[in-house]
Amino acid sequence: MINVKEVADNADLIVNGYAFTKCDLGYRVLNLNRPTKAAVFSNIHQRALS
């Protein structure tokens, strides 16, 4: 189970209930109100084209 408090404490930014945390691929995003919903935003496609 995800420790929501720990994720929030370690987040780089929290906006409207979403915790954004920098990772190797880009940013992990967790909905703090529904911690079973998450996403990762990355620029892998752009890096491959560079």
Side-chain angles (χ1 to χ4, degrees), residues 1-14 17-22 28-33 35 37-39:
M1 187 93 184
I2 295 173
N3 184 339
V4 175
K5 182 180 180 338
E6 184 177 329
V7 171
D9 288 344
N10 292 324
D12 295 303
L13 176 72
I14 297 176
Y18 291 87
F20 293 78
T21 305
K22 183 92 169 126
R28 291 182 297 171
V29 182
L30 180 69
N31 182 341
L32 297 173
N33 298 310
K37 307 296 181 190

Side-chain angles (χ1 to χ4, degrees), residues 19-49:
F20 293 78
T21 305
K22 183 92 169 126
C23 68
D24 291 337
L25 295 175
Y27 282 91
R28 291 182 297 171
V29 182
L30 180 69
N31 182 341
L32 297 173
N33 298 310
R34 293 189 73 181
T36 58
K37 307 296 181 190
V40 174
F41 296 112
S42 70
N43 292 329
I44 291 175
H45 181 70
Q46 288 180 351
R47 290 180 192 160
L49 296 176

